[in-house]
Amino acid sequence: MNYEEYKKAVEELNRYAYHYYVEDNPITTDEVYDKLYHEVLEYEENNPYQVLDNSPTQRVGDVVSEGFHKAVHKSRMWSLEDVFNEEDLKKWLARVFKLDDRAAFYCEPKYDGASLNLYYEGGKLVQAITRGDGVTGEDITQNARTIKTIPLRIDYMEPIEIRGEVVIFKSEFEKINEERAKNGENIFANPRNAAAGSLRQLDSSITANRNLVFLPYGVGQNTLDIPLLSKKMEFIYSLGFKTPPHRATCKWLLDIEKVYEQMKNDRDSYEMMLDGMVVKVDQVESQESMGYTVKYPRWAVAYKFPAVEKITTVKDIILQVGRSGVITPVAVVEPTNIDGVVVERATLHNFDEIQRKDIRIKDKVIILRSGDVIPKIIKVLEHERAGDEAEVMRPTECPVCGSELLDEGALIKCQNLTCKARVVNSIIYFASKQCLNIDGLGDKIVKALFDSGVVKSVEDIFSLTLDKLLALEGFKEKKSQNLLDAIENVKGCDCWRLINALGIEHIGEVASKSLCENFGLNFIDASKEQIISIDGIGEEMAESVVEFVRVNKEHILRLIEILDPKVPEPKAEAKENPFKAKTIVLTGSMSQSRTEIKEMLESLGAKVSGSVSKKTDMVIYGDDAGSKYDKAVELGVQTLTEDEMRGMLDE
């Protein structure tokens, strides 16, 4: 074989691969493909400097990375607004038609996988970046080159970003899990997790063996002069990319609903997992004029499929002990696949719910899973009872330490402050981001320190030494020193962080700041009446503080001595502004950290709360706003984007 024959052979192999992997329509046999592949491989071994970068031999992953580097997208990758029913869709369409009454729509599947951005320049795949936060992701180009549905070269020379979802087909997912089970490895929960995990393997040979599939759904930076998104995507597919199982252009609500119903009804027959349908304005010019909110494009929406309900059996009710000693029951159910996720547990909240729904062990129940929300039992199928179902008794002893429980009706508590579950969860909470923010002191480390006997209480954290840590399994010198430095750095923290870290029931960040601003470290001597006088603190909260201090005063004084917290200077009265004396909730990702925005609002005299209620005056939201935004809309609370907030400040 000479060089010209080699080039033709590479071209022929890529043609075979395209028909096999992209078109699902093989045009040759495995025998013919393998014979030609090995001839190409032999030529490349003898002529290593003539290897073409689009040769199929270059897709075999053999690189092990030390880690992935961060990379910036040429243009931002946006998240999408979710709608869940026809009414929501009507509202979105009304907003779109206000901006352009001639808008038409392009509908395509919403794949359930891992988003990936491909950048081509001069027709070559230059870079592949995960979605990340939409601005910056991880450069996984080497892994992307192993995915056979990603062309290494395209017949388009201008720079272009092609966005899509990396998925694992259902059949391949089953094979992978069977193999992992045989090898004694943990099986993947669903194809989405398998795809995301496979895409980010440091060893690219693992990615190569997982048969990932790339499905384009849009473009980022580009110079394509094509007026319609639907036509633009046709051009993208013509470059050698896999087409979706179904897509359509629509003009009216009824047309969109018809496509949605068909896609929803057919989704089980598709090779890949779907969790909805994406509806986008088809005219590119209209997209550009509509623009974006801080959260999502105004011209696109994700029309999610309805939550899935399944029947399963309650195998057991287990008890979890939280840091405050509250016992939470959790239902263990027969493993049940709900839309690609194997569900084995369901939330029960408390024993009153068990009693109200009359949930018994061995009951057949309907469980509901919606999105990433923890599944819950919505109905007991009493007519299915065989007579051997066991009622769930209210516990009288702690499942962890065996001490007597305090039954307050809705809540059942372990009062033993030395109970392992309480201590471990208290330390985890103490070190968490919203409290002392001790970097490196996560769940697993805390449990390891407790089980070894090195740490038995929160105060023991501050007596850790390098020698103590190095004596433990899995603790290397650098990791240990970093942890010790992080612990040392929290000394001199703000007063409110210590109060919040104590884990006083009903007292969160907002209340901790109020206590700190009104009493400083003297909150330990404040009476119930004095605490109730603080705006926003009620009788139950005040009782909680007073009772906690009564039981734990020595513990608090030792922590004050160790940490020497900073007490804030009295605040000057804020000038009049739109946010003064308002209760505000922040949600979603913003241009600054929420902590910085919170501090700015508090300096304006606002009270920033962590939860939405009827007393909330405003919810200010950024990208990926979730349930807090939804609750604000439900309660009729005023909602503002970050830009709108800043506009009010400028005025």
Side-chain angles (χ1 to χ4, degrees):
M1 181 182 283
N2 58 35
Y3 183 61
E4 287 304 315
E5 290 171 333
Y6 163 69
K7 285 200 296 184
K8 286 181 181 177
V10 167
E11 187 177 335
E12 190 74 352
L13 284 172
N14 284 333
R15 189 167 72 91
Y16 290 157
Y18 173 78
H19 281 275
Y20 186 91
Y21 292 107
V22 178
E23 294 286 344
D24 293 321
N25 182 27
I27 58 172
T28 190
T29 64
D30 289 349
E31 183 181 2
V32 171
Y33 182 92
D34 290 341
K35 184 174 183 295
L36 189 57
Y37 181 95
H38 284 94
E39 287 174 8
V40 164
L41 188 60
E42 184 179 352
Y43 180 86
E44 290 176 346
E45 287 172 350
N46 294 328
N47 302 275
Y49 299 108
Q50 294 182 353
V51 176
L52 294 173
D53 60 6
N54 67 329
S55 167
T57 64
Q58 300 307 293
R59 290 191 182 276
V60 181
D62 58 0
V63 175
V64 178
S65 305
E66 292 182 1
F68 297 115
H69 297 292
K70 298 290 184 184
V72 179
H73 300 296
K74 305 295 179 188
S75 63
R76 180 171 175 174
M77 292 184 75
W78 294 85
S79 56
L80 294 176
E81 177 184 10
D82 289 336
V83 298
F84 296 92
N85 51 51
E86 185 176 328
E87 195 58 37
D88 289 346
L89 183 65
K90 280 181 184 175
K91 290 176 183 175
W92 177 76
L93 288 173
R95 296 201 302 268
V96 168
F97 285 131
K98 235 182 217 183
L99 298 170
D100 184 353
D101 59 4
R102 297 172 298 113
F105 304 92
Y106 176 64
C107 302
E108 61 186 358
K110 185 176 184 301
Y111 305 113
D112 199 7
S115 292
L116 186 64
N117 186 33
L118 306 177
Y119 180 60
Y120 288 85
E121 196 170 273
K124 293 183 180 181
L125 176 63
V126 175
Q127 196 171 41
I129 309 172
T130 60
R131 183 186 184 281
D133 62 5
V135 176
T136 304
E138 292 178 316
D139 186 331
I140 58 161
T141 308
Q142 186 61 38
N143 287 2
R145 290 177 66 85
T146 71
I147 300 173
K148 298 177 179 68
T149 46
I150 294 179
L152 301 179
R153 283 188 186 180
I154 58 175
D155 188 20
Y156 180 72
M157 296 298 108
E158 297 298 318
I160 186 170
E161 286 178 300
I162 297 175
R163 272 85 190 259
E165 202 83 356
V166 174
V167 303
I168 285 181
F169 284 171
K170 297 171 188 173
S171 56
E172 185 64 23
F173 172 71
E174 297 297 337
K175 289 179 190 172
I176 292 171
N177 266 351
E178 285 175 13
E179 191 63 30
R180 291 175 71 85
K182 282 181 191 173
N183 296 334
E185 299 172 286
N186 292 331
I187 62 171
F188 288 116
N190 53 57
R192 180 187 61 210
N193 289 359
S198 302
L199 194 60
R200 297 184 66 260
Q201 289 289 331
L202 294 178
D203 184 348
S204 62
S205 65
I206 297 175
T207 307
N209 289 329
R210 292 275 170 84
N211 290 330
L212 299 177
V213 178
F214 178 80
L215 297 161
Y217 59 67
V219 292
Q221 186 184 87
N222 71 93
T223 55
L224 292 171
D225 187 21
I226 302 175
L228 297 178
L229 174 63
S230 54
K231 298 300 181 186
K232 192 176 280 192
M233 291 310 298
E234 287 292 345
F235 174 74
I236 297 301
Y237 300 135
S238 75
L239 297 175
F241 291 94
K242 199 169 182 68
T243 56
H246 187 62
R247 63 192 189 280
T249 52
C250 303
K251 178 62 182 171
W252 308 110
L253 171 68
L254 289 177
D255 299 328
I256 296 172
E257 282 291 340
K258 187 176 178 181
V259 177
Y260 173 79
E261 286 300 321
Q262 184 180 344
M263 210 176 284
K264 183 181 72 173
N265 293 335
D266 292 347
R267 61 173 167 160
D268 286 343
S269 66
Y270 295 152
E271 294 176 293
M272 73 292 293
M273 299 292 299
L274 305 186
D275 61 358
M277 182 179 83
V278 179
V279 185
K280 300 175 181 176
V281 171
D282 200 19
Q283 298 95 331
V284 175
E285 186 178 349
S286 292
Q287 291 181 5
E288 291 170 354
S289 65
M290 290 178 188
Y292 305 82
T293 68
V294 294
K295 188 180 176 188
Y296 40 66
R298 292 188 175 93
W299 46 266
V301 73
Y303 193 0
K304 302 297 283 289
F305 291 144
V308 182
E309 298 175 2
K310 287 286 181 77
I311 294 175
T312 187
T313 303
V314 178
K315 294 166 61 180
D316 196 7
I317 305 289
I318 61 173
L319 307 177
Q320 294 180 342
V321 184
R323 60 182 169 80
S324 64
V326 172
I327 309 294
T328 304
V330 176
V332 178
V333 300
E334 285 289 347
T336 306
N337 191 310
I338 304 183
D339 205 18
V341 175
V342 177
V343 172
E344 297 186 67
R345 296 192 178 191
T347 182
L348 291 172
H349 300 299
N350 55 49
F351 282 88
D352 281 1
E353 180 176 353
I354 294 175
Q355 187 175 353
R356 187 174 66 255
K357 293 179 178 176
D358 190 20
I359 298 169
R360 304 179 186 182
I361 296 170
K362 292 191 178 181
D363 262 341
K364 287 194 180 303
V365 295
I366 296 176
I367 55 174
L368 170 76
R369 180 181 177 271
S370 177
D372 291 325
V373 178
I374 298 169
K376 60 182 178 182
I377 294 174
I378 59 170
K379 184 178 178 62
V380 175
L381 302 178
E382 296 182 14
H383 65 280
E384 294 276 358
R385 283 180 175 163
D388 60 344
E389 293 78 15
E391 290 188 28
V392 180
M393 306 305 294
R394 295 175 76 89
T396 56
E397 292 183 353
C398 175
V400 176
C401 68
S403 62
E404 186 178 345
L405 296 176
L406 173 67
D407 193 331
E408 296 181 334
L411 296 179
I412 299 177
K413 297 179 184 176
C414 170
Q415 293 185 293
N416 177 13
L417 293 176
T418 63
C419 173
K420 175 183 174 179
R422 291 197 63 176
V423 174
V424 168
N425 287 322
S426 295
I427 297 171
I428 290 169
Y429 180 74
F430 186 85
S432 64
K433 192 172 183 179
Q434 70 269 35
C435 296
L436 269 291
N437 194 15
I438 303 177
D439 190 32
L441 198 57
D443 299 18
K444 289 183 179 177
I445 299 295
V446 171
K447 286 171 185 171
L449 292 172
F450 185 89
D451 290 340
S452 68
V454 173
V455 169
K456 287 293 183 185
S457 68
V458 165
E459 292 124 277
D460 290 343
I461 294 170
F462 299 98
S463 61
L464 287 172
T465 63
L466 190 58
D467 288 342
K468 286 181 181 179
L469 292 175
L470 293 178
L472 304 177
E473 186 179 349
F475 283 81
K476 304 296 182 186
E477 186 163 350
K478 185 177 180 182
K479 173 184 172 182
S480 301
Q481 190 57 56
N482 287 343
L483 177 56
L484 292 173
D485 291 343
I487 292 169
E488 186 63 29
N489 289 339
V490 301
K491 292 179 179 177
C493 63
D494 291 330
C495 164
W496 71 264
R497 285 191 173 276
L498 170 60
I499 297 174
N500 198 32
L502 293 172
I504 304 170
E505 197 168 356
H506 309 305
I507 303 299
E509 186 177 320
V510 174
S512 296
K513 285 182 176 177
S514 295
L515 287 168
C516 196
E517 286 164 8
N518 283 273
F519 303 114
L521 296 174
N522 293 324
F523 79 95
I524 58 175
D525 296 318
S527 67
K528 177 181 170 181
E529 290 70 27
Q530 288 173 316
I531 295 172
I532 290 175
S533 69
I534 300 174
D535 184 35
I537 292 186
E539 186 169 343
E540 189 177 25
M541 295 168 74
E543 281 180 359
S544 211
V545 174
V546 171
E547 180 61 18
F548 186 90
V549 170
R550 184 185 69 77
V551 176
N552 299 287
K553 190 167 186 177
E554 287 185 17
H555 166 67
I556 298 169
L557 289 171
R558 284 196 297 272
L559 286 174
I560 289 173
E561 186 180 352
I562 292 167
L563 289 167
D564 190 21
K566 288 185 296 187
V567 177
E569 295 290 328
K571 285 187 178 178
E573 179 73 19
K575 295 179 182 177
E576 287 304 314
N577 66 78
F579 305 106
K580 184 178 179 181
K582 301 289 186 185
T583 299
I584 297 173
V585 172
L586 301 175
T587 184
S589 303
M590 303 190 188
S591 62
Q592 287 177 274
S593 73
R594 292 220 298 263
T595 302
E596 291 173 320
I597 294 175
K598 183 188 296 184
E599 288 171 354
M600 180 266 290
L601 288 168
E602 287 173 343
S603 71
L604 296 171
K607 181 187 294 182
V608 181
S609 176
S611 58
V612 180
S613 70
K614 290 180 181 178
K615 294 182 179 179
T616 305
D617 295 302
M618 301 175 186
V619 169
I620 299 171
Y621 65 91
D623 288 352
D624 300 320
S627 58
K628 292 178 184 177
Y629 174 86
D630 296 337
K631 189 168 183 183
V633 173
E634 182 186 324
L635 294 175
V637 173
Q638 182 183 6
T639 59
L640 299 172
T641 66
E642 182 187 357
D643 286 346
E644 288 169 337
M645 172 195 74
R646 296 191 187 282
M648 289 170 69
L649 288 173
D650 291 341
E651 289 171 14

